[in-house]
Amino acid sequence: MGSTTDHWDPARPVAEQLGLTPASEVARASLNRAKAAARARGFRPGQPGRRHPVADQRSGAGRDGRDPALLGDTLSRLAAERGWRTELSVGSVVGRWREVVGDQVADHCTPETFEDGVLVVRTDSTTWATNLRLLGPTLLSRLAEEVGPDVVVEVQVLGPSGPSWKRGQRRVPGRGPRDTYG
């Protein structure tokens, strides 16, 4: 081992047999390093009234701005600060359209836009457009439950869009194909 003798002597301390620094010297050196570091930071060891408070105090038992926060709470606060609540709530309804209006209605109509309190919904047939116009007050009350009152003020229902005769590679100004139908 670290000793000049080849055998182990149980009567001698282990640290001495291994050639280690005695514990009292290690402790004294550590204490001297701690005192020197305290002096460098402006503390005067041994003088109780001369200590300077630590500038960057850590968080204690009370809540402060550095405590961890839940992600949902942080996002809600951000949405409120930026004025995004209305858009986010309407966006969540558009994302959950099938849950809000039911499977039967969702199979035949989809929300298109939301601006200035007006939700525009497009249907796949004129029958469903008429049906959804009749269900307008019920749909508005359901949307008020989901996003809050006075967020969606009006539901505008559009029927299916027909083919456009106004665009194309070859087009002639005028009434278009309707002038040949009789």
Side-chain angles (χ1 to χ4, degrees):
M1 303 212 182
S3 170
T4 57
T5 60
D6 291 338
H7 67 350
W8 185 263
D9 183 11
R12 279 187 18 207
V14 175
E16 185 181 309
Q17 290 184 43
L18 295 175
L20 300 176
T21 307
S24 61
E25 288 182 37
V26 171
R28 187 176 330 280
S30 176
L31 178 61
N32 287 337
R33 281 192 309 271
K35 284 181 178 181
R39 261 188 239 105
R41 287 191 311 236
F43 293 118
R44 303 287 175 241
Q47 297 176 356
R50 305 278 302 181
R51 294 189 77 165
H52 301 281
V54 177
D56 61 335
Q57 253 183 343
R58 300 290 178 221
S59 182
R63 292 185 57 84
D64 64 6
R66 294 174 294 166
D67 288 340
L70 296 174
L71 182 62
D73 295 343
T74 304
L75 291 176
S76 294
R77 191 186 80 241
L78 179 67
E81 288 172 0
R82 302 284 171 107
W84 296 340
R85 273 195 198 222
T86 302
E87 289 83 3
L88 287 175
S89 58
V90 171
S92 73
V93 167
V94 170
R96 298 179 302 116
W97 182 251
R98 186 167 291 278
E99 295 172 27
V100 174
V101 297
D103 289 334
Q104 189 177 13
V105 175
D107 287 341
H108 299 284
C109 67
T110 55
E112 283 195 347
T113 61
F114 175 77
E115 288 182 24
D116 300 326
V118 178
L119 178 67
V120 178
V121 178
R122 173 133 350 240
T123 61
D124 61 358
S125 70
T126 55
T127 306
W128 271 101
T130 304
N131 190 17
L132 203 58
R133 284 185 190 104
L134 293 174
L135 291 173
T138 307
L139 184 58
L140 275 174
S141 64
R142 180 72 178 120
L143 290 170
E145 289 174 15
E146 291 292 324
V147 297
D150 300 328
V151 174
V152 179
V153 181
E154 179 187 350
V155 176
Q156 186 178 10
V157 181
L158 303 176
S161 60
S164 173
W165 303 105
K166 294 183 181 182
R167 294 184 197 100
Q169 194 171 12
R170 296 179 183 94
R171 90 179 187 87
V172 177
R175 286 195 41 149
R178 290 176 295 281
D179 64 354
T180 59
Y181 294 146

